[in-house]
Amino acid sequence: MTWRQALLLSCFSAVVLLSNAKQKIFMQESDASNFLKRRGKRSPKSRDEVNAENRQKLRADELRREYYEEQRNEFENFVEEQNDEQEERSREAVEQWRQWHYDGLYPSYLYNRHHI
């Protein structure tokens, strides 16, 4: 008999718990009908709807701003590297030209000659 009593007790407690949970999970019929009702196009939005839309717009703006800022930073870094490489190549070319045309005088002879 004890196992039957334990089974009956557990079933009864399950029924009691489900009936309490039903009240917490499900909303009342009037609230449910208002929840699913569509708002007309010309009727004003509720404050919650306006706030939710504004939060979505602000978040989208923030993400867009972060994206474009990251793109700009990457491009600026790329341009800076390109300029550095160009400057290095130019400096090396000038240095090679000076070594090739060096005449042993400093500054070179071309700049020391006297114009008559």
Side-chain angles (χ1 to χ4, degrees):
M1 290 297 270
T2 58
W3 66 272
R4 287 184 182 170
Q5 289 176 345
L7 181 67
L8 258 154
L9 184 63
S10 63
C11 289
F12 180 71
S13 61
V15 168
V16 169
L17 287 175
L18 285 177
S19 65
N20 287 341
K22 179 183 172 188
Q23 293 172 355
K24 294 178 183 176
I25 293 174
F26 298 105
M27 59 177 67
Q28 296 198 5
E29 191 175 338
S30 61
D31 295 338
S33 65
N34 288 337
F35 182 78
L36 296 176
K37 199 182 294 182
R38 283 186 54 110
R39 181 178 53 83
K41 289 184 178 180
R42 299 183 72 134
S43 64
K45 296 179 182 176
S46 69
R47 184 42 93 192
D48 293 333
E49 285 179 307
V50 171
N51 289 340
E53 285 182 9
N54 285 339
R55 280 195 304 273
Q56 286 179 339
K57 288 177 185 175
L58 290 173
R59 181 68 181 142
D61 289 345
E62 181 181 349
L63 290 174
R64 190 178 306 111
R65 192 177 317 115
E66 288 175 0
Y67 172 77
Y68 284 118
E69 182 178 354
E70 183 178 337
Q71 293 294 316
R72 184 177 61 243
N73 288 340
E74 287 180 8
F75 182 70
E76 287 175 355
N77 291 341
F78 171 76
V79 168
E80 187 175 345
E81 288 177 12
Q82 292 290 95
N83 289 341
D84 289 346
E85 290 175 8
Q86 181 64 36
E87 186 178 316
E88 179 71 18
R89 286 193 296 268
S90 174
R91 189 186 59 75
E92 288 176 358
V94 167
E95 191 174 319
Q96 288 174 358
W97 186 90
R98 285 182 179 160
Q99 287 176 352
W100 179 257
H101 294 284
Y102 183 64
D103 58 2
L105 300 174
Y106 183 81
S108 69
Y109 171 73
L110 295 175
Y111 300 110
N112 282 333
R113 66 181 164 185
H114 301 286
H115 297 286
I116 303 177

